[in-house]
Amino acid sequence: MLSAFTTSRQLSGLLNRHGNRDQNSCANRHNLRDFNVVRDENEAPVFARVDALLESLQTPLPPPEDRAALRLRAQLSREQVADTLQCRAQDIEAWETGTSEPRGIQRAGYARLLAGLRLLNADQQSTDAAVEELRTPRLPLQATPQPRPASPILQTHRGTSRGHGFPRGPLAVIDQTGQGLAAYFADQSSTEVPADHLVDLLQWALEAGIGRDKLSTNDRASDPLLVLTPAAAQFLGLPPDLHDRARLRLPDSHPQIVSLRAAGFKLTRRGFGPWARAHLPVTDGKRASVQLALTGWGALSDRDGWNLPPLAPAALAKLLGTYADRVLTPRGSTAVCGQELMTALRPPTRARWSETDRRWVSSSNPGALWKSIEPAPPEAHEAHPLAQGRHPQDAMDEEAWDWSRTPTDTENTEFAHVVGIDLNIAFVAAASSASVGLNSTPRHIHNPTFDKRIPGTWLCDLSHVTLDPRLPSPFTSTGQAPTGPAWYTTPTLDYAVRDLGATIKPLEAYIRDDHGPYLTPWYERLRDAYLATMADAGIHPDIRQDEFLQAMKTLPEADPALLGLLSAIKATGKGGIGKLREGPRETTAPYQRWAALDSPTWRPDIRAAIMARARVNTHRKMIKTAIRTGRYPLAVLSDCIVYPAHTPSALDVVPSGPDGRGIKGLFCLGVNPGFAKEEGTQPLSWFHQQHDQGLNPARYIKNS
């Protein structure tokens, strides 16, 4: 393949130089040599006259889209070709898009160049095929150990993305500087970008050493990400905003889209929007794709869940580079990244050696989700076709709590304050080691025997299970006791039997025979990313509870970029879980299928199991806290719990052990996932005001 920085003099001699190859070359090489060799100086003017004659016969040219593709395969810029043909780069662009045609000697020279490039391309493909055959592995690939995340974010970036063939790191932020473009990388280096057009920028990205190594054995390396500032987008001829706000995409008739197509690039079905992906056809099994994020169009915005502070291009590249090293290269909203991380860590397919075919073939990856599955009727989203005509009591309600109660007379007398504690990435933590259904369709059975080892959705009556009224019921999202049979996940019934001693007799069930801990590596990667980022802020798992509270009080004063990174990591986990039950867009008619339903990771049953595990884990700690301290919660909203307190401090609510750390089995203050931090404190009178208005005080204790 030719260098992207071939000089115009080298280009002028390109065709002649290939005529000197040895006599054993293939037929393409012979043709190329015969076409190009100038045997003595007297032949040069003859060639000129021949070229003029060809022009007089209207020298044929390949279609415009082939012209750009031939140039790009040779890694030649428009400027290089224009310098050789003594014309402008804009002329080359016009010839490649078909808006104009070359004339005179330039037409003959252009046709001659394209014919030579076509021969060179055929020659290169045959050579690459031979080399690829020699490189074909005959043994299964081994897993590549993943280094620990770099720390801290404000130090020199040393992430894994700068190794194994990606010296520039996972991404570049592209900005306009002076009369051109500049690229800023995660390691704080920068360089000028030799591109005046979007096609040139994409080709540069494919050759610049940008990308990230695969996250798991069967994953593939991440595509280079280019983050375009508004100034860079304008420089490249892109509009400052999208007029198509409904579909969030550039019209297919836009000149830049036309140029991309002419150059051989294709777009995904989403088209060219805030998060666009352009790719060339796969050649010899090699992928050539670039991810684009246009910040002026809404990429990396609060709407996408990023909540990043205003940052200069270099600082933005550092933050996103750290996110890429600790989580994955951004590919859309934080929710999309959470979903993509699941797939990257457990890809749907893997390479398998076939003794029959004597070659590597693609096969389903055990432990992954590799096909879309219809939910059981109780699990279906309320807009799903299966939900049409369904009675509300026939829908499963495994959701987070929204519950509060009136304080007792004793609590009103004894306590003057309320304290809210918030559990760290509680729902991500609930995904750890959870056995969930994989690729088998739910099997419907009547009068089943409950088995805690089998993920499923069970119809069971738990109304006979009595609990202290000062606790929310672990069986409903309202915290009120169930009044009859309802659908529950396996974790909920397991808690009722094992922890609460309930006797149960399910009436029906939809069980999944194929199951496993699908989300465990996903949890572990987000856990490590979260802990590494908190460590950057000086907050570590081994500190005492009082030290943790003090450190958390100073956290808002930390570097805004670090806080933005922390927020993005948490939003990735929360959004990824939400994607498991993604609803339709507003334009979708009721009970009509929507695109997300065809994804292997659209799995409301998995989300329900996560929500149930988080709820029963919290309930278990509530009971143990009540036994040890006599305290009962006054309100719960999702992962925030409000307790009565003597003093306005979480230390008044959460007991400490002899070493100053939390007590196992109870709520503990600390940075670990599932541990708690102080959400806010208020007088007990404030709690009464909120509760008397029908509001859940847990929702407002942080912001009041």
Coordinates of all heavy atoms in Angstrom, one line a residue, residues 226-301:
L226 N -13.2 10.0 16.0 CA -12.9 11.5 15.8 C -14.0 12.3 16.3 O -15.2 12.2 15.9 CB -12.8 11.7 14.3 CG -11.7 10.9 13.5 CD1 -11.7 11.4 12.0 CD2 -10.4 11.1 14.1
V227 N -13.7 13.2 17.3 CA -14.6 14.1 17.9 C -14.4 15.4 17.2 O -13.4 16.1 17.4 CB -14.4 14.2 19.4 CG1 -15.4 15.2 20.0 CG2 -14.5 12.8 20.1
L228 N -15.4 15.9 16.5 CA -15.3 17.1 15.7 C -15.9 18.3 16.5 O -17.1 18.2 16.9 CB -16.0 17.0 14.4 CG -15.6 15.9 13.4 CD1 -16.3 16.0 12.1 CD2 -14.1 15.9 13.2
T229 N -15.1 19.3 16.7 CA -15.7 20.5 17.4 C -16.5 21.3 16.3 O -16.4 21.0 15.1 CB -14.5 21.5 17.8 OG1 -13.8 21.9 16.7 CG2 -13.6 20.7 18.7
P230 N -17.4 22.2 16.7 CA -18.2 23.0 15.7 C -17.3 23.7 14.7 O -17.6 23.7 13.5 CB -18.9 24.0 16.6 CG -19.1 23.3 17.9 CD -17.8 22.5 18.1
A231 N -16.1 24.2 15.1 CA -15.2 24.9 14.2 C -14.7 23.9 13.2 O -14.6 24.2 12.0 CB -14.1 25.5 14.9
A232 N -14.3 22.7 13.6 CA -13.8 21.7 12.6 C -14.9 21.2 11.7 O -14.7 21.1 10.5 CB -13.3 20.5 13.4
A233 N -16.1 21.1 12.2 CA -17.2 20.7 11.3 C -17.5 21.7 10.2 O -17.7 21.4 9.1 CB -18.5 20.4 12.1
Q234 N -17.5 23.0 10.6 CA -17.7 24.1 9.7 C -16.6 24.1 8.6 O -16.8 24.3 7.4 CB -17.8 25.4 10.4 CG -18.1 26.6 9.5 CD -18.2 27.9 10.3 OE1 -18.0 27.9 11.5 NE2 -18.6 28.9 9.6
F235 N -15.3 23.9 9.1 CA -14.2 23.9 8.2 C -14.4 22.8 7.1 O -14.0 23.0 5.9 CB -12.9 23.6 8.9 CG -11.7 23.6 8.1 CD1 -11.0 24.7 7.8 CD2 -11.2 22.3 7.7 CE1 -9.8 24.6 7.0 CE2 -10.0 22.3 6.9 CZ -9.4 23.4 6.5
L236 N -15.0 21.7 7.5 CA -15.2 20.5 6.6 C -16.4 20.7 5.7 O -16.8 19.8 5.0 CB -15.2 19.2 7.4 CG -13.9 18.8 8.1 CD1 -14.1 17.7 9.0 CD2 -12.8 18.4 7.0
G237 N -17.1 21.8 5.9 CA -18.3 22.0 5.0 C -19.6 21.4 5.6 O -20.6 21.3 4.8
L238 N -19.6 21.1 6.9 CA -20.8 20.5 7.5 C -21.6 21.7 8.1 O -21.0 22.6 8.6 CB -20.4 19.5 8.6 CG -19.7 18.3 8.0 CD1 -19.1 17.5 9.2 CD2 -20.6 17.4 7.2
P239 N -22.9 21.6 8.2 CA -23.7 22.7 8.7 C -23.5 22.8 10.2 O -23.2 21.8 10.9 CB -25.1 22.2 8.3 CG -25.1 20.8 8.2 CD -23.7 20.5 7.6
P240 N -23.8 23.9 10.8 CA -23.6 24.1 12.2 C -24.7 23.4 13.0 O -24.5 23.1 14.2 CB -23.8 25.6 12.4 CG -24.5 26.1 11.3 CD -24.2 25.2 10.1
D241 N -25.8 23.0 12.4 CA -26.9 22.3 13.2 C -27.6 21.4 12.2 O -27.5 21.6 11.0 CB -27.8 23.3 13.8 CG -28.7 22.7 14.9 OD1 -28.5 21.5 15.2 OD2 -29.5 23.4 15.5
L242 N -28.4 20.5 12.7 CA -29.2 19.6 11.9 C -30.6 20.1 11.8 O -31.3 20.4 12.7 CB -29.2 18.2 12.5 CG -27.9 17.4 12.5 CD1 -28.1 16.1 13.3 CD2 -27.5 17.1 11.1
H243 N -31.0 20.3 10.5 CA -32.4 20.7 10.3 C -33.4 19.6 10.5 O -34.5 19.8 10.9 CB -32.5 21.3 8.9 CG -31.7 22.5 8.6 ND1 -31.9 23.7 9.3 CD2 -30.6 22.7 7.8 CE1 -31.0 24.6 8.9 NE2 -30.2 24.0 8.0
D244 N -33.0 18.4 10.3 CA -33.8 17.2 10.5 C -33.7 16.8 11.9 O -33.0 15.9 12.3 CB -33.4 16.1 9.6 CG -34.4 14.9 9.6 OD1 -35.3 14.9 10.5 OD2 -34.2 13.9 8.8
R245 N -34.5 17.5 12.8 CA -34.4 17.2 14.2 C -35.1 15.9 14.6 O -34.9 15.4 15.7 CB -35.0 18.4 15.0 CG -34.4 19.7 14.8 CD -32.9 19.7 15.0 NE -32.6 19.3 16.4 CZ -31.4 19.0 16.8 NH1 -30.3 19.1 16.0 NH2 -31.1 18.7 18.1
A246 N -36.1 15.5 13.7 CA -36.8 14.3 14.1 C -35.9 13.1 13.9 O -35.8 12.2 14.8 CB -38.0 14.1 13.2
R247 N -35.2 13.0 12.8 CA -34.3 11.8 12.6 C -32.9 12.1 13.0 O -32.0 11.1 13.0 CB -34.4 11.4 11.1 CG -35.8 10.9 10.7 CD -35.7 10.2 9.3 NE -35.2 11.2 8.3 CZ -34.7 10.8 7.1 NH1 -34.7 9.5 6.8 NH2 -34.3 11.7 6.3
L248 N -32.5 13.3 13.2 CA -31.1 13.7 13.6 C -30.1 13.1 12.6 O -29.2 12.4 13.0 CB -30.8 13.2 15.0 CG -31.5 14.0 16.2 CD1 -31.2 13.4 17.5 CD2 -31.1 15.5 16.2
R249 N -30.3 13.5 11.4 CA -29.3 13.1 10.4 C -29.2 14.1 9.3 O -30.2 14.8 9.0 CB -29.7 11.7 9.8 CG -31.0 11.6 9.2 CD -31.4 10.2 8.8 NE -30.6 9.7 7.7 CZ -30.6 8.4 7.4 NH1 -31.4 7.6 8.0 NH2 -29.8 8.0 6.4
L250 N -28.1 14.1 8.6 CA -27.9 15.0 7.5 C -28.6 14.4 6.2 O -28.6 13.2 6.1 CB -26.3 15.1 7.2 CG -25.8 16.3 6.4 CD1 -26.1 17.6 7.2 CD2 -24.3 16.1 6.2
P251 N -29.2 15.2 5.4 CA -29.9 14.7 4.2 C -28.9 13.9 3.3 O -27.7 14.3 3.2 CB -30.4 15.9 3.5 CG -30.5 17.0 4.6 CD -29.4 16.7 5.5
D252 N -29.4 12.8 2.7 CA -28.5 12.0 1.9 C -28.0 12.8 0.6 O -27.0 12.4 0.0 CB -29.3 10.8 1.4 CG -29.5 9.8 2.6 OD1 -28.8 9.9 3.6 OD2 -30.4 9.0 2.4
S253 N -28.7 13.9 0.3 CA -28.3 14.7 -0.9 C -27.3 15.7 -0.5 O -26.8 16.4 -1.4 CB -29.6 15.4 -1.4 OG -30.1 16.2 -0.4
H254 N -26.9 15.8 0.7 CA -25.8 16.8 1.1 C -24.5 16.5 0.4 O -24.1 15.3 0.2 CB -25.6 16.8 2.6 CG -24.8 18.0 3.1 ND1 -23.4 18.0 3.0 CD2 -25.2 19.2 3.6 CE1 -23.0 19.1 3.5 NE2 -24.0 19.9 3.9
P255 N -23.8 17.5 -0.1 CA -22.6 17.3 -0.9 C -21.6 16.4 -0.1 O -20.8 15.6 -0.7 CB -22.0 18.7 -1.1 CG -23.2 19.6 -1.1 CD -24.2 18.9 -0.1
Q256 N -21.5 16.5 1.2 CA -20.5 15.7 1.9 C -20.9 14.2 1.9 O -20.1 13.3 1.8 CB -20.4 16.2 3.4 CG -19.8 17.6 3.5 CD -18.4 17.6 3.0 OE1 -17.7 16.6 3.0 NE2 -17.9 18.8 2.6
I257 N -22.2 13.9 2.0 CA -22.7 12.5 1.9 C -22.4 12.0 0.5 O -21.9 10.9 0.3 CB -24.1 12.4 2.2 CG1 -24.4 13.0 3.6 CG2 -24.6 11.0 2.1 CD1 -23.7 12.3 4.7
V258 N -22.6 12.8 -0.5 CA -22.3 12.4 -1.9 C -20.9 12.1 -2.1 O -20.5 11.1 -2.7 CB -22.8 13.5 -2.9 CG1 -22.4 13.2 -4.3 CG2 -24.3 13.7 -2.8
S259 N -20.0 13.0 -1.5 CA -18.6 12.8 -1.6 C -18.1 11.5 -0.9 O -17.3 10.7 -1.4 CB -17.8 13.9 -1.0 OG -18.1 15.1 -1.7
L260 N -18.7 11.2 0.2 CA -18.4 10.0 1.0 C -18.8 8.7 0.1 O -18.0 7.8 0.0 CB -19.2 9.9 2.3 CG -18.7 10.8 3.4 CD1 -19.6 10.6 4.6 CD2 -17.3 10.4 3.8
R261 N -19.9 8.8 -0.5 CA -20.3 7.6 -1.3 C -19.4 7.5 -2.5 O -19.0 6.4 -2.9 CB -21.8 7.8 -1.8 CG -22.8 7.6 -0.7 CD -24.1 7.2 -1.4 NE -25.2 7.2 -0.4 CZ -26.1 8.2 -0.2 NH1 -26.0 9.2 -1.0 NH2 -27.0 8.1 0.7
A262 N -19.1 8.6 -3.1 CA -18.2 8.6 -4.3 C -16.8 8.0 -3.9 O -16.2 7.4 -4.8 CB -18.0 10.0 -4.9
A263 N -16.4 8.2 -2.7 CA -15.1 7.7 -2.3 C -15.2 6.3 -1.8 O -14.2 5.7 -1.4 CB -14.6 8.6 -1.1
G264 N -16.4 5.7 -1.9 CA -16.5 4.3 -1.5 C -16.9 4.1 -0.1 O -17.1 2.9 0.4
F265 N -17.1 5.1 0.7 CA -17.5 5.0 2.1 C -19.1 4.8 2.2 O -19.8 5.3 1.4 CB -17.2 6.2 2.9 CG -15.8 6.3 3.3 CD1 -14.8 7.0 2.6 CD2 -15.3 5.6 4.4 CE1 -13.5 7.1 2.9 CE2 -14.0 5.7 4.8 CZ -13.1 6.4 4.0
K266 N -19.5 4.0 3.1 CA -20.9 3.7 3.4 C -21.2 4.1 4.9 O -20.3 4.2 5.7 CB -21.2 2.2 3.2 CG -21.0 1.7 1.8 CD -21.4 0.3 1.7 CE -21.2 -0.2 0.3 NZ -21.6 -1.7 0.1
L267 N -22.4 4.4 5.1 CA -22.9 4.8 6.4 C -23.8 3.7 7.0 O -24.3 2.9 6.2 CB -23.7 6.1 6.4 CG -22.9 7.3 5.9 CD1 -23.8 8.5 5.7 CD2 -21.8 7.7 6.8
T268 N -24.0 3.7 8.3 CA -25.0 2.8 8.9 C -26.4 3.2 8.6 O -26.6 4.3 8.0 CB -24.7 2.7 10.4 OG1 -25.0 4.0 11.0 CG2 -23.3 2.2 10.7
R269 N -27.3 2.4 9.0 CA -28.7 2.8 8.8 C -29.1 4.1 9.4 O -30.1 4.8 9.0 CB -29.7 1.7 9.3 CG -29.6 0.4 8.4 CD -30.6 -0.6 8.9 NE -30.3 -1.0 10.3 CZ -31.0 -1.8 11.0 NH1 -32.1 -2.3 10.5 NH2 -30.6 -2.2 12.2
R270 N -28.4 4.5 10.5 CA -28.8 5.7 11.1 C -28.3 7.0 10.3 O -28.8 8.1 10.7 CB -28.1 5.8 12.5 CG -28.6 4.8 13.5 CD -28.0 5.0 14.9 NE -28.5 4.1 15.9 CZ -29.5 4.5 16.7 NH1 -30.1 5.7 16.5 NH2 -30.0 3.7 17.6
G271 N -27.5 6.8 9.3 CA -27.1 7.9 8.5 C -26.0 8.7 9.2 O -25.4 8.3 10.1
F272 N -25.9 10.0 8.7 CA -24.9 10.9 9.2 C -25.5 11.8 10.2 O -26.1 12.8 9.8 CB -24.2 11.6 8.0 CG -22.9 12.2 8.4 CD1 -21.7 11.5 8.1 CD2 -22.8 13.4 9.0 CE1 -20.5 12.1 8.4 CE2 -21.6 14.0 9.3 CZ -20.4 13.3 9.0
G273 N -25.4 11.5 11.5 CA -25.9 12.3 12.5 C -24.9 12.7 13.6 O -23.7 12.7 13.3
P274 N -25.3 13.0 14.8 CA -24.4 13.4 15.8 C -23.3 12.3 16.1 O -22.2 12.6 16.4 CB -25.3 13.6 17.1 CG -26.6 13.9 16.5 CD -26.7 13.1 15.3
W275 N -23.7 11.0 16.0 CA -22.8 9.9 16.1 C -22.9 9.1 14.8 O -23.9 8.4 14.6 CB -23.2 9.0 17.3 CG -22.9 9.6 18.6 CD1 -23.8 10.3 19.4 CD2 -21.7 9.6 19.4 NE1 -23.3 10.7 20.6 CE2 -22.0 10.3 20.6 CE3 -20.5 9.0 19.2 CZ2 -21.0 10.4 21.6 CZ3 -19.5 9.2 20.2 CH2 -19.8 9.9 21.3
A276 N -22.0 9.3 13.9 CA -22.0 8.7 12.6 C -20.8 7.7 12.5 O -19.8 7.9 13.1 CB -21.9 9.8 11.5
R277 N -21.1 6.7 11.7 CA -20.0 5.7 11.5 C -19.9 5.5 10.0 O -20.9 5.2 9.3 CB -20.3 4.3 12.1 CG -19.1 3.4 12.0 CD -19.5 2.0 12.7 NE -19.8 2.2 14.1 CZ -18.8 2.3 15.1 NH1 -17.6 2.2 14.8 NH2 -19.2 2.4 16.4
A278 N -18.7 5.8 9.4 CA -18.4 5.6 8.0 C -17.4 4.5 7.8 O -16.4 4.4 8.5 CB -17.9 6.9 7.4
H279 N -17.7 3.6 6.8 CA -16.8 2.5 6.6 C -16.7 2.1 5.2 O -17.6 2.4 4.3 CB -17.4 1.2 7.4 CG -18.7 0.8 7.0 ND1 -19.0 -0.1 6.0 CD2 -20.0 1.2 7.4 CE1 -20.3 -0.3 5.8 NE2 -20.9 0.5 6.6
L280 N -15.5 1.6 4.8 CA -15.3 1.1 3.5 C -15.7 -0.4 3.5 O -15.7 -1.1 4.5 CB -13.8 1.2 3.2 CG -13.3 2.7 3.0 CD1 -11.8 2.7 2.9 CD2 -13.9 3.3 1.8
P281 N -15.9 -0.9 2.3 CA -16.2 -2.4 2.2 C -15.1 -3.2 2.8 O -13.9 -2.9 2.6 CB -16.4 -2.6 0.7 CG -16.8 -1.3 0.1 CD -16.0 -0.3 1.0
V282 N -15.5 -4.3 3.4 CA -14.5 -5.2 4.0 C -13.6 -5.8 2.9 O -14.2 -6.3 1.9 CB -15.1 -6.3 4.8 CG1 -14.1 -7.3 5.3 CG2 -15.9 -5.7 6.0
T283 N -12.3 -5.7 3.0 CA -11.4 -6.2 2.0 C -10.5 -7.2 2.6 O -9.8 -6.9 3.6 CB -10.6 -5.1 1.3 OG1 -11.5 -4.1 0.8 CG2 -9.7 -5.6 0.2
D284 N -10.5 -8.4 2.1 CA -9.6 -9.5 2.6 C -9.8 -9.7 4.1 O -8.9 -9.9 4.9 CB -8.2 -9.2 2.3 CG -7.9 -9.2 0.8 OD1 -8.6 -9.9 0.1 OD2 -7.0 -8.5 0.4
G285 N -11.1 -9.5 4.6 CA -11.4 -9.7 6.0 C -11.0 -8.6 6.9 O -11.0 -8.7 8.1
K286 N -10.5 -7.5 6.3 CA -10.0 -6.3 7.1 C -11.1 -5.2 7.1 O -11.6 -4.8 6.1 CB -8.7 -5.8 6.4 CG -7.6 -6.8 6.5 CD -6.3 -6.3 5.8 CE -5.2 -7.3 5.8 NZ -4.0 -6.8 5.1
R287 N -11.3 -4.8 8.3 CA -12.3 -3.7 8.5 C -11.7 -2.4 8.5 O -10.6 -2.1 9.1 CB -13.0 -4.0 9.9 CG -14.0 -3.0 10.4 CD -14.4 -3.3 11.8 NE -15.2 -2.3 12.4 CZ -16.6 -2.2 12.3 NH1 -17.2 -3.1 11.5 NH2 -17.2 -1.3 12.9
A288 N -12.3 -1.4 7.8 CA -11.9 0.0 7.8 C -13.1 0.9 8.1 O -13.9 1.1 7.2 CB -11.3 0.3 6.4
S289 N -13.2 1.3 9.3 CA -14.3 2.1 9.8 C -13.9 3.2 10.7 O -12.9 3.0 11.5 CB -15.3 1.1 10.5 OG -16.4 1.8 11.0
V290 N -14.6 4.3 10.7 CA -14.3 5.4 11.6 C -15.6 5.9 12.2 O -16.6 6.0 11.6 CB -13.7 6.6 10.8 CG1 -13.4 7.8 11.7 CG2 -12.4 6.2 10.0
Q291 N -15.5 6.1 13.5 CA -16.7 6.7 14.3 C -16.5 8.2 14.4 O -15.4 8.6 14.7 CB -16.7 6.0 15.7 CG -17.7 6.6 16.6 CD -19.1 6.1 16.4 OE1 -19.4 4.9 16.5 NE2 -20.0 7.0 16.0
L292 N -17.5 8.9 14.2 CA -17.5 10.4 14.3 C -18.5 10.8 15.4 O -19.6 10.3 15.5 CB -17.9 11.0 13.0 CG -16.9 10.8 11.8 CD1 -17.6 11.1 10.5 CD2 -15.7 11.6 12.0
A293 N -18.1 11.8 16.1 CA -18.9 12.5 17.1 C -18.9 14.0 16.9 O -17.8 14.6 17.0 CB -18.5 12.1 18.5
L294 N -20.0 14.6 16.5 CA -20.1 16.0 16.2 C -20.7 16.7 17.4 O -21.9 16.6 17.6 CB -20.9 16.3 14.9 CG -20.1 15.9 13.6 CD1 -20.3 14.4 13.3 CD2 -20.6 16.7 12.5
T295 N -19.9 17.4 18.2 CA -20.3 18.0 19.4 C -21.3 19.1 19.1 O -22.2 19.4 19.9 CB -19.2 18.6 20.2 OG1 -18.4 19.5 19.4 CG2 -18.2 17.4 20.6
G296 N -21.2 19.8 18.0 CA -22.1 20.9 17.6 C -23.5 20.4 17.3 O -24.5 21.1 17.3
W297 N -23.6 19.1 17.0 CA -24.9 18.5 16.7 C -25.5 17.8 17.9 O -26.6 17.2 17.8 CB -24.8 17.5 15.6 CG -24.5 18.1 14.3 CD1 -24.2 19.5 14.0 CD2 -24.3 17.5 13.0 NE1 -23.9 19.7 12.7 CE2 -24.0 18.5 12.1 CE3 -24.4 16.1 12.6 CZ2 -23.7 18.1 10.7 CZ3 -24.2 15.8 11.3 CH2 -23.9 16.8 10.4
G298 N -24.9 17.8 19.1 CA -25.4 17.2 20.3 C -24.7 16.0 20.8 O -25.1 15.4 21.8
A299 N -23.7 15.5 20.1 CA -22.9 14.4 20.6 C -22.2 14.8 21.9 O -21.7 16.0 22.0 CB -21.9 13.9 19.6
L300 N -22.1 13.9 22.9 CA -21.4 14.2 24.1 C -22.1 15.3 25.0 O -21.6 15.9 25.8 CB -19.9 14.6 23.9 CG -19.0 13.6 23.3 CD1 -17.7 14.2 23.0 CD2 -18.9 12.4 24.2
S301 N -23.4 15.5 24.7 CA -24.2 16.5 25.4 C -24.9 15.9 26.6 O -24.8 14.7 26.9 CB -25.3 17.0 24.5 OG -26.2 16.0 24.2

